[in-house]
Amino acid sequence: MPQGYSIRDMAEDQVTAMKSLGITKASVLGVSQGGMIAQYIAINHPEIMDKLILAVTTPYANNVVKTAVNGWIEMAKNGDHVTLMVDTAEKMYSEQYMKKNKKMFPLMARFTKPKTYERFFKNAYAILDFDARNELSKIQCPTFIVSGADDKTVGNDAPKEFSQGIIDTKVYIYEGLGHGTFTEAKDFYDRILAFLKQ
């Protein structure tokens, strides 16, 4: 990843990969940062978009995003991988999920610490610079917004913001879940498939 690699750059690289594979039309599911990338694919390349699913994501780096990501950057700078993993989990998952699995995250941290945080920092700074709000109206394909009602990573305003900016949206919000909705909600992928089959 080059220095200054942006969400828009990531979207362009994804489109290049799709075209190299002969994919000329696709439905795109973007989760979290992937949802940011998916927005720019739909904005800049409407010709390849069939349908768009934006899950637990946001149209810009709001205050909730900035607080979470800046905190993770500081933890990474300090080399405190256990705290980074636990804090990420606490901002992703419901209390019920954390009660069942909290002991697992410090253990996982011992086996997942990277040799360098360089890639992490580039992704993090790309998120902090992201803002697609003024271009949402360029998204013309049918769009499904999936969110948790208690998202401590991207906040809870995105469904409304997306609905105001994108002309053709359907929204589903999971009560009691947050950023980890795609992991915790047993019917998450069933809902997406139902949307794609409409």
Side-chain angles (χ1 to χ4, degrees):
M1 297 172 83
Q3 203 65 37
Y5 195 45
S6 69
I7 300 291
R8 199 183 292 270
D9 294 333
M10 295 174 195
E12 289 304 313
D13 283 349
Q14 183 65 49
V15 170
T16 298
M18 290 168 69
K19 289 181 177 178
S20 296
L21 292 168
I23 299 170
T24 56
K25 196 85 169 175
S27 292
V28 176
L29 163 62
V31 178
S32 192
Q33 183 178 8
M36 299 174 184
I37 296 167
Q39 288 171 62
Y40 276 140
I41 295 174
I43 287 166
N44 294 323
H45 298 277
E47 73 283 357
I48 68 170
M49 295 297 298
D50 186 20
K51 292 183 178 178
L52 174 64
I53 304 102
L54 299 174
V56 295
T57 191
T58 176
Y60 75 109
N62 57 43
N63 288 334
V64 177
V65 173
K66 288 177 180 176
T67 299
V69 173
N70 280 316
W72 295 335
I73 287 170
E74 285 305 308
M75 292 169 203
K77 283 180 177 177
N78 294 330
D80 192 348
H81 195 68
V82 172
T83 303
L84 174 60
M85 288 287 290
V86 172
D87 190 74
T88 301
E90 287 175 344
K91 285 183 171 59
M92 278 194 69
Y93 300 114
S94 65
E95 287 183 26
Q96 185 178 1
Y97 185 92
M98 286 302 294
K99 282 178 185 176
K100 287 182 184 176
N101 300 287
K102 189 164 186 174
K103 291 179 181 177
M104 173 181 72
F105 295 107
L107 183 63
M108 282 176 57
R110 293 179 187 155
F111 298 101
T112 61
K113 186 172 182 177
K115 290 180 182 177
T116 172
Y117 286 101
E118 182 182 351
R119 185 179 177 86
F120 170 82
F121 289 135
K122 288 175 180 176
N123 272 304
Y125 290 124
I127 291 169
L128 292 176
D129 286 339
F130 173 70
D131 190 345
R133 285 175 293 180
N134 293 334
E135 298 181 82
L136 290 178
S137 62
K138 295 178 183 177
I139 299 175
Q140 298 296 310
C141 61
T143 303
F144 187 25
I145 313 301
V146 185
S147 297
D150 185 25
D151 195 319
K152 297 178 180 69
T153 302
V154 299
N156 303 313
D157 296 332
K160 182 179 178 183
E161 292 165 340
F162 283 131
S163 295
Q164 289 174 341
I166 303 171
I167 194 166
D168 184 3
T169 58
K170 177 183 177 184
V171 175
Y172 188 83
I173 300 172
Y174 284 94
E175 295 298 327
L177 297 181
H179 202 66
T181 289
F182 61 97
T183 300
E184 293 190 68
K186 291 183 170 67
D187 64 346
F188 178 81
Y189 292 102
D190 291 335
R191 288 188 182 279
I192 288 167
L193 285 171
F195 170 72
L196 294 175
K197 289 176 179 177
Q198 287 174 0

